[in-house]
Amino acid sequence: LDALLKRRLNDEPLAYILGTEPFYGRDFIVDKRVLIPRPETEDLVDEALKIPAQLYVDIGTGSGAMAVTLAAESPRATVFASDVSAKALAVAKKNANKFAPKHVTFFRGALLHSSLIRSITKASKASICIVANLPYLPPTDKKIMPKSVTKYEPTNALFAKEDGMELNKKLLQQLWRSEIFNTGSTALLEFDPPQSKKLLAFAKSLFPGADLSIIRDRCGRERILKITIPQT
């Protein structure tokens, strides 16, 4: 107990000390290889579950919290999960085996990479929902964030260039260029609330004919960008 207390007094997050973090009613395995799932991301899962998707694609899956939850809550749907980090994928696979064995297919690569696109095309599902909780904090936030975050959680899962919008913008551009994101498809992207206007404007410039909206999280903050390509 003294050893555990010492770790906590040294700012180590309780989730890493216990080895789990609650998310959507399940205790997910977490350690220093992955970001600790936040409650706000449960709101993104809520929105995804409102969509009758046949294929969910979680880009930047991290611990696998979103992908595994979607697989457990929608067992008839196909779920793909991808991450650039092999270490993160090792944790995500443990969570999949724990809560949704054989229901999640994992890929390694950055954002919407070629292997993932080929698999989505091969799956040829009529209704696709893409979810993403990518790194979106501006690097300047490091100065004001608690040590429990900046000292222990993986920085490459927290921060991004262009005031935190770099990766979300890249993903939107990839979706715009890709043939997989077409009629009936939906994308849900989590972002930092101050980015709301700029990110929405950027999305509108790429998808002028789409249904776009900003969804607030449980605390009333603008948190999720929703893009739906309407049926023709």
Side-chain angles (χ1 to χ4, degrees):
L1 183 59
D2 285 343
L4 296 175
L5 181 59
K6 185 177 180 180
R7 290 170 64 186
R8 187 68 190 103
L9 289 173
N10 199 33
D11 297 313
E12 186 171 352
L14 187 60
Y16 289 161
I17 295 172
L18 297 176
T20 61
E21 175 70 7
F23 185 86
Y24 222 87
R26 299 174 179 87
D27 288 330
F28 279 81
I29 299 166
V30 294
D31 58 32
K32 294 179 184 179
R33 292 174 289 180
V34 296
L35 194 71
I36 299 168
R38 268 56 170 183
E40 295 87 349
T41 306
E42 293 180 338
D43 300 332
L44 195 157
V45 172
D46 281 336
E47 292 300 322
L49 290 172
K50 293 176 184 177
I51 299 164
Q54 295 174 307
L55 173 62
Y56 290 105
V57 182
D58 180 14
I59 298 176
T61 193
S63 67
M66 279 204 296
V68 173
T69 299
L70 290 168
E73 298 290 329
S74 301
R76 293 184 179 180
T78 300
V79 179
F80 291 164
S82 182
D83 202 287
V84 71
S85 168
K87 292 180 179 180
L89 287 172
V91 178
K93 289 175 182 178
K94 287 183 179 180
N95 283 315
N97 290 333
K98 184 178 179 182
F99 296 116
K102 300 181 181 179
H103 287 289
V104 184
T105 302
F106 291 96
F107 302 83
R108 185 184 177 192
L111 300 179
L112 198 62
H113 53 91
S114 58
S115 177
L116 183 59
I117 291 174
R118 286 195 299 269
S119 295
I120 293 172
T121 303
K122 188 176 179 180
S124 64
K125 302 293 182 179
S127 178
I128 298 175
C129 178
I130 292 172
V131 298
N133 180 17
L134 298 168
Y136 58 64
L137 296 177
T140 52
D141 278 11
K142 292 180 183 180
K143 299 177 182 179
I144 60 173
M145 295 181 73
K147 290 182 180 179
S148 60
V149 176
T150 57
K151 186 177 178 181
Y152 290 96
E153 297 195 66
T155 55
N156 59 355
L158 287 165
F159 304 102
K161 297 177 182 178
E162 294 187 39
D163 292 328
M165 292 186 288
E166 179 191 29
L167 296 179
N168 272 329
K169 281 186 172 182
K170 282 185 176 180
L171 177 58
L172 289 173
Q173 288 173 328
Q174 288 179 336
L175 291 174
W176 174 67
R177 296 189 189 103
S178 174
E179 294 181 359
I180 64 165
F181 195 62
N182 49 33
T183 302
S185 299
T186 298
L188 295 163
L189 279 63
E190 185 172 332
F191 61 84
D192 195 24
Q195 301 165 354
S196 179
K197 289 184 179 179
K198 289 184 178 180
L199 197 61
L200 181 61
F202 184 77
K204 284 182 177 179
S205 70
L206 295 175
F207 305 100
D211 296 328
L212 292 100
S213 60
I214 298 293
I215 299 168
R216 295 180 182 271
D217 64 19
R218 61 191 62 192
C219 297
R221 296 168 297 196
E222 296 183 330
R223 179 70 67 177
I224 301 164
L225 171 64
K226 181 180 181 181
I227 306 171
T228 301
I229 307 299
Q231 298 283 352
T232 54

